[in-house]
Amino acid sequence: MALEKTLALVLKSYDWSESSRTISFFTKNYGKLSLVDKGGKSMTAKRGRVMPFAELELTFYESKKESSGYISDVELIRLFELSGDGSLGRLAYASAACELLQLLLPKEEPLLDLYDYSVSLLDKINKASKQALSALFLTFFLRLLSQLGYHPSLSFCIGCGKKAEDFLSKGKSVKFSPERGGIICPSCQNPGESYIALPYDGFMKLENLQTASLTEAEKLTLGFKETSLLLDALVKFLEYQADISSKIKSLEFLHKLKNAKTMLE
C-alpha cells in the first residue's frame, strides 16, 4: 500500500465495529474518498482525531486491491466551530453542505476548485452574520449543481430560450419546472404540468446568487419563508435531474425550526 497525504473535509462516517468505522472524505487531491478508520472511535487512539467541520491533513494508505484504504494519521489544520450567534442554523447549513457533497460528488475524482470553494463556504458559515447564512448556502447549492453538470435555467425560459427579463413581471410569480429544468414563460407552459410558483423578488435574488461570489452573497438577506420556497425548488430540481430521492436531513431540520425566528431571521 502506498502512503499518501492530502487536505480533507469529513462528509460522513459509518460505524462497523465498537472501535472502527468507515469515513467518507472530500479530499483536495483525490476527490471523494472512503477510508477505514481502524480504532478511530477509541479515546485512547494515539494519532490525531477525525473531526467534522474541520479542514484536516490526512495521511492514509491507499489500497489498490481492496475497496478502501485506511487512515494512518490526522492533523487538524483549522476547525470551524459554528458557535456564533445562530449556532443551530450554522450547524444545519454546514451539515446540509456536507450532505450535498456526499450525495453528488463522484468517487475519487479530484475537484480542486470545488474543494477550495467548500472550505471557503464553511469559513463563511462560521464567521458571517446569521442573516447571511441562507444566501451563502443557496449560492453554494447553485455552484455545486453547475459544477457537476446540473445547471438550472434561471435567466432563460427552458422551453424557448426567451430571456427572463422579456416575460417576467414584477409582482407576479415565476413558474419553475423542476422536471424540465428551469423557469417557463407563459407561452411554453403546458396544461396539467406541475410548476413551483416562486415570488418575483425571491426569484430575482436566486438568479443573482447563481453568478454571485460567496462574498457578494454574504451581503444579501433572505427571510425564512423565502428561503424555504427557493430551497424547495432546488431540491425538487435535484431529485428530477439527478434522479435522487434521498432527503437532505439537515434541511428538514431547518424546516422543523421554522418558528425559531431569533435564529433564522
Side-chain angles (χ1 to χ4, degrees), residues 192-252:
E193 194 169 43
S194 178
Y195 305 108
I196 296 176
L198 300 177
Y200 178 84
D201 290 341
F203 168 76
M204 294 305 296
K205 292 177 183 178
L206 186 68
E207 185 187 19
N208 289 334
L209 290 176
Q210 192 170 44
T211 56
S213 66
L214 290 174
T215 299
E216 291 168 336
E218 194 176 359
K219 301 173 184 177
L220 185 64
T221 300
L222 296 109
F224 181 77
K225 290 183 179 179
E226 193 174 42
T227 300
S228 295
L229 278 171
L230 299 179
L231 281 175
D232 184 56
L234 291 183
V235 169
K236 284 185 168 58
F237 168 87
L238 180 60
E239 290 173 354
Y240 274 106
Q241 302 303 317
D243 193 24
I244 289 172
S245 58
S246 300
K247 298 299 181 183
I248 302 171
K249 295 179 181 178
S250 302
L251 295 184
E252 291 183 340

Side-chain angles (χ1 to χ4, degrees), residues 46-80:
K46 294 182 180 180
R47 62 163 175 75
R49 297 191 63 79
V50 177
M51 302 175 67
F53 311 122
E55 187 171 29
L56 308 169
E57 185 176 69
L58 180 65
T59 305
F60 66 98
Y61 287 97
E62 183 181 20
S63 174
K64 300 297 184 182
K65 297 180 180 180
E66 302 175 12
S67 58
S68 298
Y70 64 90
I71 297 170
S72 171
D73 199 7
V74 177
E75 181 180 343
L76 177 65
I77 301 300
R78 53 176 162 168
L79 176 66
F80 306 105

Side-chain angles (χ1 to χ4, degrees), residues 6 8-17 19-27 30-42 45 47-54 56 58-61 67-74 98 102 107-108:
T6 185
L9 301 171
V10 173
L11 300 182
K12 191 172 184 177
S13 65
Y14 309 84
D15 293 345
W16 56 271
S17 76
S19 62
S20 301
R21 58 193 170 178
T22 298
I23 300 179
S24 177
F25 294 95
F26 183 15
T27 71
Y30 301 89
K32 187 172 72 172
L33 191 65
S34 292
L35 297 170
V36 174
D37 187 22
K38 294 182 178 180
K41 293 170 63 180
S42 171
R47 62 163 175 75
R49 297 191 63 79
V50 177
M51 302 175 67
F53 311 122
L56 308 169
L58 180 65
T59 305
F60 66 98
Y61 287 97
S67 58
S68 298
Y70 64 90
I71 297 170
S72 171
D73 199 7
V74 177
C98 291
Q102 173 66 16
K107 292 181 179 179
E108 299 181 22

